[in-house]
């Protein structure tokens, strides 16, 4: 199989696509869609998001040091895209998408009620990287929709039909291929 050489760039796909809700010191809130987000540490639980300094939400995160990562689903795909292509400087994304802000437990930024998972975060470090600033944050609270909990207390995010971003398009996830460790699991 032949390979074609590309210029260096970001080709790490698919990516989780999330809606990040933020608030400024005056109480103005916004939602920004981010595909450059990820888990970076287990203990303490930490995540990172990368935001262009020119984005309306950037100054809110920079001044408060807080945000909420809201996981996205097939039902939220339209709102997810809208919040990524419209600026909060010009439109009220909450109103335009019909999303519902909910009070967070630890941070001042609201969560999104329609999201199956809300991850409250406090920034511990900001890295200026070039086109984007990376906000490294500790997870200070997590809320999950009870609709996806089973009788044993296990959470089933797959039932919410999470979406990913892949080179300019949104996709739902496909079939389950195995679970962690299945390649070395004993066959009975």
């Amino acid at each position: 199989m032949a390979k074609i050489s590309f210029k260096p760039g970001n080709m790490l796909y698919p990516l989780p696509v999330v809606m990040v809700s933020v608030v400024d010191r005056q109480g103005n809130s916004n939602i920004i869609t981010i595909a450059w987000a990820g888990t970076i540490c287990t203990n303490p639980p930490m995540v990172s998001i990368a935001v262009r300094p020119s984005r309306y939400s950037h100054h809110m995160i920079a001044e408060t040091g807080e945000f909420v990562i809201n996981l996205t689903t097939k039902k939220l795909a339209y709102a997810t895209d809208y919040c990524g292509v419209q600026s909060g400087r010009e439109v009220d994304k909450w109103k335009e998408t019909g999303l519902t802000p909910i009070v967070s437990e630890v941070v001042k930024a609201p969560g999104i009620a329609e999201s199956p998972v809300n991850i409250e975060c406090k920034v511990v470090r900001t890295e200026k990287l070039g086109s984007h600033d990376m906000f490294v944050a500790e997870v200070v609270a997590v809320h999950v929709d009870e609709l996806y909990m089973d009788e044993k207390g296990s959470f089933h995010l797959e039932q919410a039909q999470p979406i990913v971003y892949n080179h300019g398009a949104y996709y739902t996830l496909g079939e389950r291929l195995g679970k962690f460790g299945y390649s070395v699991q004993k066959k009975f």
Side-chain angles (χ1 to χ4, degrees):
M1 178 184 307
K3 298 280 186 173
I4 297 172
S5 187
F6 269 47
K7 67 177 181 146
N10 296 312
M11 289 294 286
L12 183 60
Y13 289 109
L15 298 165
V17 59
V18 298
M19 290 187 286
V20 175
S21 43
V22 298
V23 68
D24 65 17
R25 289 189 183 131
Q26 291 73 42
N28 303 305
S29 64
N30 191 46
I31 306 165
I32 182 173
T33 298
I34 298 202
W36 293 0
T39 298
I40 57 173
C41 189
T42 302
N43 191 15
M46 297 181 77
V47 295
S48 69
I49 61 171
V51 182
R52 287 183 184 271
S54 62
R55 298 294 188 235
Y56 179 63
S57 293
H58 183 281
H59 85 276
M60 295 180 176
I61 299 168
E63 75 181 39
T64 65
E66 300 179 345
F67 57 89
V68 178
I69 294 175
N70 303 276
L71 299 191
T72 57
T73 65
K74 185 176 180 179
K75 284 183 179 177
L76 293 171
Y78 183 87
T80 300
D81 185 64
Y82 185 89
C83 290
V85 298
Q86 293 294 324
S87 174
R89 286 183 186 96
E90 298 160 13
V91 299
D92 179 341
K93 295 180 189 179
W94 296 100
K95 179 182 172 195
E96 296 300 318
T97 60
L99 295 173
T100 310
I102 55 173
V103 175
S104 293
E105 182 179 341
V106 179
V107 302
K108 290 184 177 68
I112 298 173
E114 292 80 6
S115 172
V117 180
N118 313 101
I119 305 167
E120 297 182 35
C121 304
K122 287 196 173 209
V123 176
V124 296
R125 182 174 56 232
T126 303
E127 298 285 333
K128 295 186 180 301
L129 301 174
S131 64
H132 288 68
D133 289 350
M134 180 176 62
F135 294 103
V136 175
E138 185 170 352
V139 174
V140 294
V142 175
H143 306 278
V144 299
D145 192 326
E146 66 184 357
L147 178 65
Y148 305 109
M149 298 294 294
D150 68 18
E151 62 282 346
K152 295 179 183 176
S154 294
F155 182 66
H156 296 277
L157 180 61
E158 72 280 1
Q159 293 174 2
Q161 298 181 295
I163 60 173
V164 295
Y165 182 79
N166 187 49
H167 205 61
Y170 306 100
Y171 295 88
T172 57
L173 299 178
E175 71 179 284
R176 178 179 170 174
L177 303 176
K179 66 177 186 174
F180 180 76
Y182 84 102
S183 64
V184 295
Q185 188 174 6
K186 289 184 181 181
K187 312 285 187 237
F188 293 99

